[in-house]
Amino acid sequence: MVEEIGYLVSDFDVGFVSITDDLFVSKHPGSQQRAVEFASGMLSRGIDVNFMIDIRLDSVVDLEVFRHLYRAGLRRVFVGLETGSYDQLRAYRKQILNRGQDAADTINALLQLGIDVIPGTIMFHPTVRPEELRETARLLRATKYRHPFKFLSKITPYPGTPLYQEYSAAGYLSAEWPLGQWDFVDPQAARVYADLVARIAPDENISYDEAEAFFLARLDEWDNATALSAG
């Protein structure tokens, strides 16, 4: 693999490499060691190229591994953060955090090494609540990744997956093929999402800060409407 990257750099003047491999570095000790050996191979051959990898949050077991990868050219990671809710992570079967652990700590540690973090997040699902959305927005801000369309992400239950079966059994699905489409359980969630799409999607010049402010304001309105209906 190192030799192939060296060939791309020397013969084709490639300046950046994206390594798309979910198992490039996992929490398993053998995988961690393989990542170290890869970095050492890049350095020993003097291959001067920046690269990015895909990781899970629990791949960051030892920061020294990522420090070594940084020396070898790692400048960006795509991290599947998914959501700021521990309970929702469990619903997605994503055991990437222990209860009480803050994903922002891992994000900050990578940023301090000089590694940019591109977050993979899921904002909306059928039973989403304002508090979960705020936590996910907090993680987005921690990554320093600034793309307003992140506030519009929705989960897709693909036919044949456990999530699809779960949504079908719960009666969430409004269409089944070719992709599972679902409805919000809370009408307030549907209104918030529709407002976000109407405000953010058509405006190619909207800033991240503007989108975030609108997002958080709509969550406050959602909370107020819920409180009024409960009172």
Side-chain angles (χ1 to χ4, degrees):
M1 182 175 171
V2 170
E3 290 176 356
E4 183 171 348
I5 292 174
Y7 165 67
L8 292 172
V9 173
S10 63
D11 287 38
F12 295 95
D13 198 28
V14 168
F16 191 91
V17 174
S18 179
I19 301 173
T20 306
D21 177 2
D22 290 342
L23 298 177
F24 179 83
V25 54
S26 71
K27 63 182 179 181
H28 190 277
S31 179
Q32 297 276 313
Q33 180 59 34
R34 188 180 78 107
V36 169
E37 292 171 358
F38 167 81
S40 296
M42 294 282 286
L43 290 166
S44 66
R45 289 170 173 78
I47 300 173
D48 184 17
V49 66
N50 291 337
F51 62 93
M52 74 171 287
I53 60 176
D54 296 349
I55 65 171
R56 285 166 51 106
L57 200 67
D58 58 6
S59 300
V60 188
V61 177
D62 183 355
L63 279 178
E64 285 304 316
V65 171
F66 285 84
R67 185 173 284 110
H68 194 45
L69 286 166
Y70 177 83
R71 296 189 195 102
L74 178 64
R75 293 297 181 270
R76 189 180 304 156
V77 293
F78 175 88
V79 185
L81 299 176
E82 315 304 353
T83 170
S85 165
Y86 175 79
D87 291 334
Q88 192 59 32
L89 282 175
R90 291 181 63 83
Y92 292 151
R93 297 175 176 82
K94 297 283 188 178
Q95 311 300 327
I96 57 176
L97 279 180
N98 296 319
R99 188 177 292 277
Q101 185 180 357
D102 190 351
D105 293 338
T106 301
I107 293 168
N108 289 331
L110 291 170
L111 291 173
Q112 287 173 13
L113 290 178
I115 300 171
D116 292 334
V117 175
I118 300 176
T121 51
I122 302 168
M123 275 291 179
F124 288 92
H125 58 84
T127 59
V128 71
R129 302 301 303 163
E131 55 270 24
E132 178 190 342
L133 291 169
R134 287 192 184 91
E135 276 298 294
T136 305
R138 182 182 66 86
L139 292 184
L140 276 178
R141 179 157 284 278
T143 67
K144 297 181 169 40
Y145 183 78
R146 298 292 180 260
H147 199 305
F149 278 79
K150 278 291 180 181
F151 294 105
L152 304 181
S153 62
K154 293 175 66 177
I155 193 164
T156 301
Y158 290 96
T161 63
L163 186 71
Y164 179 91
Q165 300 299 331
E166 178 186 328
Y167 281 16
S168 179
Y172 298 155
L173 294 181
S174 57
E176 298 184 353
W177 192 261
L179 298 177
Q181 298 179 35
W182 47 265
D183 292 325
F184 289 102
V185 172
D186 187 341
Q188 284 290 339
R191 282 190 281 271
V192 168
Y193 186 75
D195 288 349
L196 287 167
V197 171
R199 174 66 183 91
I200 297 173
D203 188 354
E204 61 183 20
N205 295 317
I206 189 171
S207 70
Y208 182 88
D209 289 344
E210 289 171 328
E212 181 187 48
F214 184 80
F215 176 81
L216 295 175
R218 288 299 287 112
L219 296 187
D220 290 341
E221 292 172 13
W222 182 0
D223 276 336
N224 291 338
T226 301
L228 285 173
S229 63

